[in-house]
Amino acid sequence: MITVKGDEMEFENLKVETTNRIAVVTINRPEALNALNEQTLSELQTVFTDVNNNDGVRVVIVTGSGKKAFVAGADIVAMQQLSALDARRFSKLGHELMRSIETCSKPVIAAVNGFSLGGGCELALSCDVRIASENARFSQPEVSLGVIPGFGGTQRLARLIGKGRALELLLTGDMIDADEAYRIGMVNKVVPQEELLETAKSMATKIIGKGPFAVKLVKEAVCTGLEMDLDRANQYETELFGLCFASLDQKEGMLSFLEKRPANFVGQ
Ligand code: HXC
């Protein structure tokens, strides 16, 4: 279990279980298909703030409770009566969370176990890797509700699958199945639902076996580099590559190869 100052964290709308340094964060509002209300956003923010500096967690998996939905969007009941200022604040809260996930020092895998709509799709987009179950469905249906995505969907979807495909999904609100999401590069893998968590955990375990310092810098190089022009991004990669040589993990990684044995990384 993730701990804060020695206490176990208790949540109203989340379940968090940490085993073998993999934190599985399950959004748990099945009565509303795990829709994101303010409380759920705040709880997720608390988890990701903790995870960032928690040596007991090396990879995070985000999923939804039940077999039907990952997250069916932001909570429409809660949003319906918002004033413009409150809607802006709600969007900002979501943006801050998505950015915390995107910039989290640990890799984050979305295990998409059903409907991933609106804010749910945006949550999946902010994760580093998406693994979908065969029954997963994706859409940005906000235009059907008379609004636009507000947790980064207009930005991250276009960056992930390209402007033309993103605009088609955003303008029509069309729902696509897992195979189509895989075909257009929105998800990394599609697996039967009963294998979803195991597949995500096995990817997490593979990542945990690598040099933790390098894993952290890979994510940083890709995510920060994508926001720069290529020359600056390549320069940034060069600096981070150099930094690896100040780590014990680089020495151990290369020595273990030469000594033909598994590496024993310490994450420094
Ligand atoms: C609140 C929701 C919800 C949501 C489902 N529910 N989605 N409640 N917010 N986003 C509730 C339903 O009202 C219902 O409650 C229960 O969950 C089960 O859903 P049903 O509709 O009965 O299930 P089904 O007929 O199988 O249809 C599943 C569905 C549909 C296709 C996923 O629920 C749906 O279209 N949901 C809305 C999807 C959506 O528009 N998402 C985008 C939201 S906008 P009761 O009480 O009736 O049992 C958004 C903006 C993000 O995300 C940015 C914000 C800044």
Side-chain angles (χ1 to χ4, degrees):
M1 196 64 156
I2 296 188
T3 55
V4 184
K5 293 181 190 145
D7 299 324
E8 284 194 348
M9 277 200 225
E10 296 269 333
F11 298 104
E12 196 177 306
N13 298 330
L14 301 180
K15 286 188 280 182
V16 183
E17 282 174 19
T18 305
T19 317
N20 300 327
R21 289 177 291 175
I22 303 168
V24 179
V25 180
T26 305
I27 297 159
N28 189 31
R29 292 188 75 213
E31 71 288 354
L33 301 186
N34 305 321
L36 299 173
N37 57 9
E38 201 170 317
Q39 172 75 16
T40 313
L41 293 177
S42 303
E43 291 183 2
L44 283 166
Q45 185 67 69
T46 302
V47 169
F48 279 95
T49 303
D50 173 75
V51 156
N52 222 19
N53 300 308
N54 186 335
D55 290 341
V57 176
R58 295 270 296 277
V59 176
V60 184
I61 296 171
V62 180
T63 193
S65 73
K67 295 191 169 172
K68 191 168 165 181
F70 172 68
V71 169
D75 191 315
I76 300 171
V77 178
M79 282 190 297
Q80 190 206 1
Q81 301 288 353
L82 293 182
S83 66
L85 276 181
D86 284 342
R88 187 176 178 277
R89 199 181 57 81
F90 184 58
S91 169
K92 195 159 177 280
L93 201 64
H95 266 290
E96 283 164 5
L97 168 65
M98 303 307 159
R99 197 68 179 140
S100 296
I101 294 173
E102 201 165 47
T103 59
C104 178
S105 59
K106 320 288 163 71
V108 184
I109 300 171
V112 182
N113 57 310
F115 288 115
S116 176
L117 314 179
C121 192
E122 294 170 296
L123 173 64
L125 291 171
S126 71
C127 297
D128 300 314
V129 171
R130 284 150 293 283
I131 304 176
S133 58
E134 288 165 343
N135 68 324
R137 299 285 180 272
F138 297 82
S139 85
Q140 294 287 168
E142 284 85 351
V143 286
S144 312
L145 299 167
V147 296
I148 70 168
F151 295 161
T154 59
Q155 305 309 309
R156 291 195 182 90
L157 192 59
R159 282 165 168 78
L160 186 65
I161 64 174
K163 182 182 166 192
R165 284 192 167 122
L167 273 170
E168 182 184 343
L169 289 176
L170 291 160
L171 293 171
T172 63
D174 277 354
M175 195 180 289
I176 58 171
D177 65 17
D179 286 340
E180 177 65 359
Y182 177 73
R183 193 185 71 81
I184 64 175
M186 222 170 139
V187 301
N188 299 65
K189 272 181 206 292
V190 180
V191 298
Q193 185 157 56
E194 54 281 11
E195 293 170 21
L196 180 64
L197 260 190
E198 277 320 303
T199 307
K201 283 180 182 173
S202 122
M203 187 184 284
T205 303
K206 193 181 275 187
I207 294 168
I208 288 171
K210 309 299 177 191
F213 191 70
V215 163
K216 179 172 174 287
L217 293 195
V218 160
K219 177 167 171 176
E220 201 171 314
V222 171
C223 296
T224 309
L226 274 173
E227 290 164 18
M228 300 173 174
D229 65 62
L230 188 58
D231 283 338
R232 285 178 59 229
N234 281 337
Q235 181 61 41
Y236 187 57
E237 183 195 74
T238 295
E239 301 305 336
L240 294 182
F241 181 76
L243 187 58
C244 291
F245 287 73
S247 75
L248 294 174
D249 283 357
Q250 174 271 328
K251 297 184 188 1
E252 168 62 8
M254 294 193 175
L255 188 64
S256 68
F257 173 80
L258 296 173
E259 291 179 353
K260 302 188 191 305
R261 59 170 176 83
N264 184 18
F265 291 116
V266 292
Q268 290 169 26

